[in-house]
Amino acid sequence: MRSNFQWVKGGSRVGKPGFLISFDYDAELIAKLKEKIPAHLREWRPEEKKWWVSEYCEKQVNDLFPGFLEAVVAQRPLFTENKSQVQKDIEELWPDG
């Protein structure tokens, strides 16, 4: 993952589920984030210096920060009752298990 990349599960200002991410300032990376994630699925929080991104954008965030998706899937059992979906996600990421 990129230097100082951090994430936590968190909601948008209107309560949509997703992730709060932060990383060292990088104009090129910010441009890529804006290109990959539509405006209605992200928001900048200047007071916290964090981005909120929708939970639907896990793969796009992983494209920017490799390893993110594996970390999310590994922690998903902590945040969901849908254990069968968690197992499917794990098998998709690690088919040889």
Side-chain angles (χ1 to χ4, degrees):
M1 287 192 210
R2 291 184 186 259
S3 176
N4 292 318
F5 173 70
Q6 297 180 347
W7 68 275
V8 295
K9 199 131 169 78
S12 71
R13 288 190 175 100
V14 295
K16 295 178 185 175
F19 305 95
L20 297 173
I21 64 172
S22 62
F23 50 90
D24 290 338
Y25 179 80
D26 179 331
E28 184 179 322
L29 180 58
I30 292 168
K32 288 179 183 177
L33 183 143
K34 290 179 176 180
E35 178 184 307
K36 288 185 171 287
I37 301 173
H40 70 282
L41 297 175
R42 63 175 156 80
E43 64 187 29
W44 169 243
R45 296 185 177 180
E47 66 282 355
E48 300 173 56
K49 297 188 185 215
K50 294 181 180 177
W51 288 91
W52 168 81
V53 294
S54 169
E55 66 182 1
Y56 299 114
C57 298
E58 290 177 347
K59 290 185 180 183
Q60 292 92 329
V61 174
N62 192 69
D63 289 345
L64 298 167
F65 303 99
F68 169 76
L69 194 54
E70 289 87 353
V72 169
V73 170
Q75 293 184 24
R76 190 165 282 145
L78 301 173
F79 303 108
T80 185
E81 296 296 319
N82 187 350
K83 304 299 182 198
S84 63
Q85 183 59 49
V86 170
Q87 186 61 40
K88 287 178 188 174
D89 290 346
I90 289 171
E91 289 170 1
E92 183 178 312
L93 283 170
W94 300 289
D96 298 326

